[in-house]
Amino acid sequence: MTDFYDALEARDPAAREAALLAALPGHIARAQQATSAFAESLAGVDAAAITSRNALAQLPVLRKSALLERQKALRAQDPFGGYAAIGWRGLRAGSGAKRVFQSPGPIYEPEGDGPDYWRMARAIFAAGFRAGDLAHCSFSYHLTPAGSMMESGAHAVGCTTFAGGVGNTELQLQAVAELRPHGYIGTPSFLKILVEKAADTGTPIGSITKAMVGGEAFPPSLRDWLAARGIAAYQSYATADAGLIAYETPAREGLVLDEHILLEIVRPGTGDVLPDGEVGEVVVTVLNPGYPLVRFGTGDLSAVLPGPCPTGRSNTRIRGWLGRADQTTKVRGMFVHPSQVAEVARRHPELGRARLVVEGEMANDRMTLKVEVAGAPDGLAAAVAASVRDVTKLRADVQLAAPGSLPNDGKVIEDARSYN
């Protein structure tokens, strides 16, 4: 198993699916019993009956905006808003949290006990790190959990870490030159800064031949730029709430899912699961007893890729980060949400993909709802336009389009206005 972090990565897909679904009822029950938030949102749900993806898809999606609002409302009683099953003296859980972090919002996230709590080792191993390597970690070690996430994963692989943190470019370059780390872990943009600064100053950093990057977009142009300078960089997709979601492999064909999550791609603004290949919001159920998230909407767009990874890893692959799912915009002084577009489509079952395009100059907005439909009956466009007025309180033109003609990019609302 030298090519894989563990045997889980190459197991039979049917065995993986069976194991995940077998763990689901206990996970739901844990969320209901150990957290006040899920006790409310999943009230009346028979956890023992949640044994399939279809059953899971009937549960509500928890979006980050709702998590933040509940945390704010319950700050005085519970900084986690009732979503954590671990904490410290004075909280409902009473114990179990090793650290607590603050992400922008602010959103508070707990770190539980045990090695590699965020499961980052799998991504770090896939990027080429091995036991005995020195990893230069340039993620933040303060407030946000990124530094701790990556360091705990590197330690699980068996690496030594240098806690570089963010900034202090000259000092970090000095450390690279003197410690000679085997690889870099951090944002791709800061790695580029380090490489350029090293070239300008003549600082030797040739010991870094691999990198695991995350936290921001990693375009192929930057990947190739780094490769031309002797650094093979691979990306991971993780959040402070869910931990590792997916990671890149040497195949460079999408990102392979972590072994401890159930992933769904849903239509933005809804909980409706989309077919494989359709772009939608990434929703994950994370099998973490300390922070038992159920159908957590990340707000990120992606799509499932067909087939297994050429490296032999057998888990599902996704295309990577394709943008943000929350496309809420303001039209003529009123907010229009993706969920409203979904509601219009739901009222007309014959409709397929829908896309609301907002055009014109500011204060002179016009909306056009483009919808895919096969064999449209007479009067459908007028009926859909009436539904738009009813749901959004705004007028829109309706354009009927052939099935498959609208872009498969996850956009439900396209803001094409001029802001000049």
Side-chain angles (χ1 to χ4, degrees):
M1 299 304 297
T2 55
D3 292 333
F4 305 129
Y5 179 65
D6 59 24
L8 295 178
E9 293 182 359
R11 59 181 161 167
D12 179 73
R16 175 185 293 107
E17 182 74 357
L20 289 172
L21 293 178
L24 192 53
H27 180 74
I28 301 295
R30 168 73 173 170
Q32 291 173 315
Q33 296 162 10
T35 76
S36 61
F38 285 114
E40 293 178 17
S41 65
L42 301 180
V45 172
D46 179 7
I50 311 300
T51 58
S52 68
R53 287 186 177 268
N54 285 339
L56 177 64
Q58 306 311 308
L59 303 181
V61 171
L62 166 64
R63 291 195 160 81
K64 183 170 286 194
S65 58
L67 184 150
L68 172 59
E69 289 307 310
R70 186 177 171 98
Q71 282 199 3
K72 286 181 176 179
L74 298 179
R75 282 282 193 253
Q77 296 84 30
D78 182 352
F80 301 124
Y83 288 105
I86 54 178
W88 51 85
R89 184 163 53 86
L91 300 184
R92 173 179 172 176
S95 63
K98 182 166 67 175
R99 297 186 182 93
V100 59
F101 293 95
Q102 183 196 79
S103 293
I107 294 177
Y108 292 101
E109 300 102 2
E111 178 186 2
D113 208 356
D116 197 18
Y117 175 78
W118 281 282
R119 310 176 315 283
M120 292 304 305
R122 198 174 300 283
I124 293 169
F125 187 91
F129 289 81
R130 296 294 183 269
D133 283 350
L134 172 61
H136 185 110
C137 185
S138 285
F139 277 111
S140 173
Y141 279 81
H142 299 95
L143 291 179
T144 64
S148 186
M149 291 171 70
M150 303 302 172
E151 183 169 271
S152 61
H155 289 169
V157 170
C159 299
T160 301
T161 55
F162 173 73
V166 296
N168 299 306
T169 306
E170 290 79 10
L171 287 175
Q172 295 216 39
L173 271 182
Q174 181 182 351
V176 171
E178 295 176 352
L179 295 175
R180 297 181 296 281
H182 301 90
Y184 165 95
I185 298 175
T187 63
S189 59
F190 189 64
L191 177 57
K192 185 173 188 289
I193 289 172
L194 287 177
V195 172
E196 290 176 332
K197 188 72 172 179
D200 290 342
T201 60
T203 305
I205 62 168
S207 66
I208 294 181
T209 60
K210 53 199 171 190
M212 204 284 286
V213 299
E216 59 191 26
F218 184 45
S221 58
L222 180 52
R223 177 198 66 199
D224 296 343
W225 186 90
L226 291 169
R229 288 153 181 81
I231 302 174
Y234 298 86
Q235 61 183 314
S236 64
Y237 170 33
T239 75
D241 320 88
L244 180 66
I245 294 175
Y247 59 98
E248 192 174 17
T249 75
R252 304 283 192 189
E253 295 185 11
L255 306 182
V256 177
L257 293 186
D258 177 56
E259 297 290 328
H260 295 86
I261 65 166
L262 287 96
L263 173 130
E264 301 167 282
I265 302 294
V266 309
R267 193 177 306 282
T270 77
D272 302 336
V273 179
L274 293 171
D276 288 356
E278 287 286 311
V279 177
E281 182 181 6
V282 174
V283 170
V284 292
T285 297
V286 187
L287 300 179
N288 176 356
Y291 204 41
L293 297 178
V294 177
R295 299 202 84 198
F296 177 70
T298 63
D300 297 320
L301 293 175
S302 194
V304 171
L305 281 175
C309 180
T311 63
R313 292 171 173 86
S314 58
N315 208 344
T316 301
R317 296 178 301 158
I318 60 175
R319 287 175 57 186
W321 186 82
L322 300 177
R324 293 293 294 170
D326 185 6
Q327 300 150 26
T328 297
T329 190
K330 185 175 280 189
V331 180
R332 296 196 286 276
M334 298 182 66
F335 282 107
V336 180
H337 305 274
S339 59
Q340 293 175 302
V341 178
E343 173 58 26
V344 170
R346 192 175 290 114
R347 294 186 180 191
H348 304 274
E350 61 268 49
L351 299 183
R353 194 178 290 145
R355 187 184 189 97
L356 184 68
V357 180
V358 185
E359 299 173 291
E361 303 292 332
M362 291 299 292
N364 188 27
D365 307 319
R366 61 182 183 275
M367 299 196 312
T368 303
L369 182 64
K370 300 180 179 181
V371 292
E372 293 181 355
V373 62
D378 291 340
L380 177 61
V384 173
S387 293
V388 174
R389 287 197 302 274
D390 184 44
V391 172
T392 68
K393 313 307 178 189
L394 296 165
R395 294 182 180 274
D397 294 328
V398 173
Q399 292 182 4
L400 306 182
S405 61
L406 295 181
N408 178 24
D409 57 6
K411 279 193 175 181
V412 175
I413 300 176
E414 178 185 351
D415 191 343
R417 287 173 292 191
S418 172
Y419 291 90
N420 294 332

